[in-house]
């Protein structure tokens, strides 16, 4: 995965959010459906409606041409990941 600059999770099957988690951990922006919790949490600026291919294309173009935007998305996702998806956080959720 770390060979790629942009991730895509454009499938209506939203039960698994591990792809967005992996992308965030590596600092790779991921475009995906807003119905997936991990997508919405980690990449709110790249969360799109189901089958909104036009928005996905627009975001892809922006990520490829706007280095500041790309870096903001990547950094934000890593920060959110390190805050919301730590071992400690997950253990607390399981205890609840």
């Amino acid at each position: 995965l770390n060979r790629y600059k942009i991730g895509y999770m454009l499938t209506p099957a939203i039960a698994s959010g591990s792809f967005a988690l992996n992308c965030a951990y590596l600092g790779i922006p991921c475009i995906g459906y807003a119905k997936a919790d991990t997508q919405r949490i980690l990449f709110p600026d790249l969360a799109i409606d189901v089958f909104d291919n036009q928005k996905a294309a627009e975001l892809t173009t922006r990520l490829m041409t706007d280095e500041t935007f790309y870096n903001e998305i990547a950094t934000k996702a890593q920060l959110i990941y390190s805050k919301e998806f730590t071992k400690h956080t997950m253990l607390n959720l399981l205890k609840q």
Side-chain angles (χ1 to χ4, degrees):
L1 180 60
N2 64 354
R3 297 183 313 174
Y4 299 97
K5 302 243 339 144
I6 301 172
Y8 298 91
M9 185 61 180
L10 300 176
T11 176
I14 58 170
S16 173
S18 60
F19 187 75
L21 286 167
N22 290 333
C23 286
Y25 178 80
L26 294 170
I28 301 169
C30 180
I31 298 170
Y33 294 140
K35 289 187 176 188
D37 291 342
T38 54
Q39 178 69 34
R40 198 173 54 256
I41 293 167
L42 294 164
F43 298 100
D45 301 312
L46 303 179
I48 63 173
D49 292 329
V50 175
F51 302 123
D52 189 351
N53 296 331
Q54 179 65 37
K55 184 69 174 180
E58 291 169 7
L59 288 169
T60 298
T61 300
R62 185 165 180 204
L63 287 167
M64 292 173 61
T65 59
D66 185 342
E67 188 175 345
T68 301
F69 178 66
Y70 183 97
N71 290 333
E72 286 173 0
I73 296 293
T75 302
K76 183 178 178 180
Q78 286 182 311
L79 290 172
I80 294 169
Y81 180 95
S82 67
K83 179 183 175 195
E84 300 293 330
F85 296 96
T86 65
K87 179 180 176 181
H88 180 71
T89 302
M90 294 297 115
L91 289 174
N92 283 338
L93 285 172
L94 289 171
K95 287 178 185 177
Q96 293 175 11

